[in-house]
Amino acid sequence: MSPVSDHGEVGGMATTDVKQPQQAPAVKLSMLTMTGMVVGSMVGAGVFSLPRRFAQETGVAGSLIAWTIAGLGMLMLAFVFQMLAVRKPQLDAGVYAYAKEGFGQYLGFFSAIGYWASAAMGLVFYWVFIMSTVGAVIPALGDGDSLVAIAVSSVGLWAFFFLIRRGIREAAVINRIVTVAKIVPIVVFILLALFALKPQVFAENWAGADYAGSLFDQVTGTMLVTVFVFLGVEGASVYSRHAKRRSDVGRATILGFLSVFAIFASVTIVSYGVLPMGEIAQLRQPSMAGVLAAAVGPWGAWFVSIGLIVSVLGAYLAWSLMAAEVLFVAAKDQDMPRFLSRSNSADVPVPALLVTAIFVQAVLIITYFSQDAFNLALDLTSALTLIPFFFVAAYALKLVLTRDTYRDQPSGRGRDLTVAILATVYTLYLIFAAGLKFVLVSFVIYAPATILFAMARREQGRRVFSGREVVILVISLVGAAAAILALALGWIVL
């Protein structure tokens, strides 16, 4: 197994059999722009749903503990991405490439599919959230999953497809502008909520309500939503082939993470001082709108709703690009069918972008039959990325334990070992917190996606599965079958 070179070669064997006369050299992005991609990816719709999602699970004390765990855990994961960007600069699209380099081609493929599907589900969540927000004014849109909402979302989906295919530089510039525009209303919300904070209400919300359960259960119940809002921390790593300097990848990751962590935690905590948590738990999404309306009047809901739409549209650009980039790099590395390795003269991987749009369109239609499209899209977005994140952390740990790259560059090994262990433990805890339900449902995507892996192997005239890969395939098929059976019998409800 050979790493991918900066020129899209595999083990020194150039992939020139794919004819791409129209393909241009990769566009190079500055650290500021890449940091904007990270912040733009992380600050999306999730932050606007935090008050209700946390109030449904925990009080102030549990929130503080949850944000401490999530913040430290994700910081360790961000350090892992920074470390790997420096130690393995030849690996593009980190989430996928690290899993393949560490654990083999098939698990690398699974990581690519999991991350891609997670990003695509995030795009579904964005459309549901926008339609739900506007649905407060236009009842026909309902909670974002009505027929009218699906139709409007579909029009928006394909409009963005044609915008993004025009060029990566244009999309990145738009993302940078929108990133600044969407931070402002969130900061204003925090300041206004602080001004309206009622100490007695905050104190009553400290321990949580009777329905919240033990403190451990409260904290565990918040983990998926914290994963969702932190998705995008890996944005610079995923888009590493466009960095002007490889060192910028790690710096952009850490800077982007630290820029938004305080915002996420603050939005959650200050909300407990405005309304009793039982009332926050019943608010319509985006719950930030309801909290601010209670603090300053009806105009607060409008203010937050406009900010949400701007925020989502900006994050949509970044997530679309990241989803397509993973498929593109995996195809360049011959782990997916070669048609996904094509890009146009503007350096946009159009076939990968098109496959992503088709998947999003299909899931948008499925949301019509879901009991709660909002939470389904949010939780699946989080759950699908847990296995890819675990592989990244585990690869970093393997790198340190085997001393790969440390014989020539021994400095920092002790620190890297601590970071890798903490990141691995944290990702395992996230899988536990997600529960068996979402792990099984994720296999419904992993198993059939293996067809793409088989197509790539057939194109190369290779044996489709090796001995160990057959075992992995059987596990994924059994998991998918168990999930389908559980859904059919009502043991799992989406």
Side-chain angles (χ1 to χ4, degrees):
M1 179 178 60
S2 302
V4 188
S5 76
D6 287 335
H7 303 289
E9 299 180 355
V10 183
M13 181 178 66
T15 56
T16 53
D17 55 317
V18 181
K19 295 183 179 180
Q20 300 171 311
Q22 80 280 23
Q23 186 165 311
V27 174
K28 296 301 180 181
L29 304 176
S30 67
M31 189 186 76
L32 179 62
T33 299
M34 295 191 74
T35 301
M37 295 291 285
V38 175
V39 175
S41 302
M42 294 175 71
V43 182
V47 64
F48 294 90
S49 69
L50 286 176
R52 174 178 165 178
R53 285 301 299 261
F54 265 76
Q56 288 174 334
E57 302 290 348
T58 188
V60 179
S63 294
L64 291 171
I65 295 172
W67 281 118
T68 301
I69 294 173
L72 290 175
M74 277 295 177
L75 181 60
M76 293 304 103
L77 201 56
F79 280 142
V80 162
F81 280 110
Q82 181 186 42
M83 176 187 82
L84 293 177
V86 172
R87 298 223 166 241
K88 291 291 182 177
Q90 75 275 19
L91 297 180
D92 286 321
V95 175
Y96 146 74
Y98 299 147
K100 178 187 175 182
E101 182 74 5
F103 307 104
Q105 193 171 16
Y106 193 27
L107 286 180
F109 170 84
F110 266 22
S111 183
I113 285 296
Y115 183 80
W116 166 77
S118 171
M121 286 299 304
L123 299 178
V124 174
F125 174 81
Y126 284 162
W127 288 120
V128 172
F129 208 5
I130 289 176
M131 295 302 112
S132 175
T133 301
V134 182
V137 180
I138 305 176
L141 297 177
D143 290 326
D145 54 1
S146 68
L147 287 176
V148 175
I150 292 171
V152 175
S153 297
S154 299
V155 172
L157 163 66
W158 293 105
F160 267 92
F161 169 78
F162 288 109
L163 169 66
I164 295 171
R165 74 188 297 271
R166 293 185 58 186
I168 284 177
R169 190 182 300 278
E170 288 81 354
V173 170
I174 293 172
N175 176 76
R176 186 164 56 185
I177 295 171
V178 173
T179 295
V180 175
K182 68 188 180 181
I183 291 293
V184 172
I186 299 173
V187 173
V188 170
F189 167 85
I190 295 171
L191 295 175
L192 291 176
L194 273 174
F195 182 77
L197 190 142
K198 305 169 187 173
Q200 183 178 352
V201 173
F202 188 82
E204 291 172 353
N205 288 333
W206 179 263
D210 293 336
Y211 62 78
S214 69
L215 188 59
F216 177 81
D217 291 337
Q218 291 180 39
V219 173
T220 300
T222 66
M223 284 298 105
L224 270 184
V225 70
T226 60
V227 171
F228 180 82
V229 296
F230 281 132
L231 290 179
V233 68
E234 73 290 347
S237 177
V238 171
Y239 228 57
S240 58
R241 74 186 178 98
H242 292 279
K244 287 183 177 178
R245 295 180 300 272
R246 284 287 173 158
S247 58
D248 287 347
V249 175
R251 294 190 185 115
T253 299
I254 301 301
L255 182 59
F257 173 83
L258 294 177
S259 298
V260 299
F261 170 66
I263 292 176
F264 292 160
S266 297
V267 165
T268 306
I269 301 303
V270 299
S271 298
Y272 286 111
V274 178
L275 290 170
M277 61 179 287
E279 294 184 26
I280 300 175
Q282 299 300 318
L283 290 174
R284 178 189 178 92
Q285 292 289 18
S287 51
M288 260 180 63
V291 172
L292 194 57
V296 301
W299 72 266
W302 284 94
F303 180 76
V304 169
S305 297
I306 294 171
L308 178 144
I309 293 174
V310 172
S311 178
V312 167
L313 294 181
Y316 194 93
L317 287 169
W319 278 45
S320 295
L321 289 168
M322 284 195 295
E325 185 74 3
V326 171
L327 293 182
F328 174 79
V329 174
K332 292 286 287 184
D333 203 15
Q334 298 185 339
D335 293 323
M336 289 201 184
R338 63 169 62 100
F339 78 92
L340 292 171
S341 69
R342 302 189 184 105
S343 61
N344 64 13
S345 58
D347 194 32
V348 178
V350 176
L353 193 65
L354 178 60
V355 169
T356 302
I358 292 172
F359 178 82
V360 172
Q361 180 69 80
V363 178
L364 277 173
I365 295 172
I366 293 173
T367 60
Y368 180 74
F369 304 97
S370 170
Q371 289 188 1
D372 187 346
F374 180 92
N375 283 326
L376 170 65
L378 188 153
D379 289 337
L380 270 179
T381 301
S382 302
L384 283 164
T385 200
L386 297 184
I387 291 177
F389 275 0
F390 168 72
F391 282 140
V392 171
Y395 175 57
L397 182 59
K398 178 181 178 181
L399 208 66
V400 179
L401 293 177
T402 59
R403 296 180 181 273
D404 186 4
T405 75
Y406 287 91
R407 292 182 178 87
D408 297 327
Q409 305 173 50
S411 62
R413 183 172 179 269
R415 168 193 173 278
D416 291 349
L417 177 61
T418 301
V419 167
I421 290 174
L422 291 175
T424 303
V425 170
Y426 174 63
T427 52
L428 284 173
Y429 172 60
L430 290 177
I431 293 173
F432 163 77
L436 183 61
K437 169 183 174 179
F438 290 109
V439 173
L440 284 178
V441 171
S442 66
F443 278 118
V444 177
I445 295 175
Y446 284 125
T450 298
I451 294 173
L452 295 174
F453 182 80
M455 288 173 61
R457 286 283 177 92
R458 290 295 186 188
E459 287 176 351
Q460 301 157 35
R462 298 172 57 190
R463 180 182 176 184
V464 177
F465 297 106
S466 66
R468 188 181 70 168
E469 290 171 344
V470 171
V471 175
I472 299 170
L473 173 64
V474 170
I475 293 173
S476 67
L477 291 174
V478 170
I484 292 171
L485 179 64
L487 286 167
L489 296 179
W491 299 342
I492 293 178
V493 179
L494 297 180

